[in-house]
Amino acid sequence: MPPEDSVRALVERIRAGARVSVLTGAGVSAASGIPTFRGPGGLWRDFRPEELATPEAFARDPLLVWEWYAWRRRLVAAAAPNRAHDVLAAWSRRYRGFALVTQNVDGLHERAGTAGVIRVHGSLWDLACRDRCAAAPARWREEAIELPELPPRCPHCGGLARPGVVWFGEALDPEVLAAADSAADCDVFLAIGTSAVVYPAAALLAQAAAHGALTAEINPEETPASASVDHYLSGRAEEVLDRLERGLTTAAFRV
Ligand code: OAD
């Protein structure tokens, strides 16, 4: 469990009306049974995610890449949001100015009830035309768990469709990046369940600190960010967020 002083400091600031922003990574979905990228169980058929989540991998073998995404869509469809998603959804309803930036593509924050999630890496449930044909929207939603064919086709030009996610080596959507940058202008910034190694998302913590935010990290393992945050709360997201939420909602909790 994290140090009680850190829990109190965060509860005090959040209760005092601070604007809270949160960056999440794969660790928040671990308790829902979704494997993280860099942790144990993050491998699929002996491929590392970094070998599949690239434009080059898709150009080489679109079916292989799509089989990986189809597997992930099935896994997520069978999963449910956990306590970490639920606490953040409660904060999104309760605190004005709350912002949630996620690197996750699973949609579990939305399913828990958080509106306006800033999805910096796109969504497993979006598709896009590989050739960005003029007739197709930039992305479209496809929520059928089993796609009618693999690899799926663009309904507008008949060419290949690709997952509506951001791959290594690709730029983030400028509007989404601008929204994430705005979220870094806050009073309290929490990085939760992310290895904090993938940029530009990992830079948000330093941006928030530059804006004068109190910064905190929730992760059972230390990351490159742990030494620079104001509070490193060692532990699982679902447990530490539950602890914070009990502090925030218990009248008797003394700060
Ligand atoms: P990673 O797999 O790199 O890191 C997951 C982090 O979650 C690790 O630091 C774990 O220690 C931590 N963790 C594990 N279980 C946890 C729990 N129950 N509670 C809290 N933390 C826990 O995942 P990300 O940081 O999300 O990008 O990865 C960033 C990006 O790299 C992903 O969005 C994806 C990936 O390749 C793209 O696909 C572009």
Side-chain angles (χ1 to χ4, degrees), residues 24-31 35-39 49-50 53 68-69 72 102-105 121 165-168 192-198 217-223 235-238:
T24 62
V28 296
S29 295
T36 62
F37 290 96
R38 292 172 182 79
E50 296 90 327
W68 183 53
Y69 280 92
R72 293 173 65 196
T102 190
Q103 299 164 88
N104 299 345
V105 295
H121 291 164
V165 299
V166 178
W167 283 327
F168 284 100
I192 309 177
T194 175
S195 56
V197 292
V198 175
E217 180 184 46
I218 302 175
N219 199 311
E221 309 284 340
E222 290 199 17
T223 75
R236 295 171 192 275
E238 61 279 13

Side-chain angles (χ1 to χ4, degrees), residues 168-254:
F168 284 100
E170 293 186 321
L172 266 55
D173 179 320
E175 280 180 26
V176 177
L177 189 55
D181 284 341
S182 307
D185 185 359
C186 61
D187 303 314
V188 173
F189 189 95
L190 292 115
I192 309 177
T194 175
S195 56
V197 292
V198 175
Y199 284 78
L204 293 173
L205 202 49
Q207 284 173 238
H211 282 294
L214 182 76
T215 58
E217 180 184 46
I218 302 175
N219 199 311
E221 309 284 340
E222 290 199 17
T223 75
S226 309
S228 54
V229 288
D230 295 311
H231 297 281
Y232 168 59
L233 291 90
S234 171
R236 295 171 192 275
E238 61 279 13
E239 292 168 4
V240 179
L241 282 171
D242 180 68
R243 177 74 193 90
L244 285 170
E245 178 66 348
R246 280 189 286 117
L248 288 164
T249 53
T250 306
F253 187 80
R254 293 272 168 269

Side-chain angles (χ1 to χ4, degrees), residues 89-100:
W91 291 7
S92 75
R93 290 187 290 267
R94 194 184 307 141
Y95 301 120
R96 283 183 56 197
F98 177 85
L100 176 52

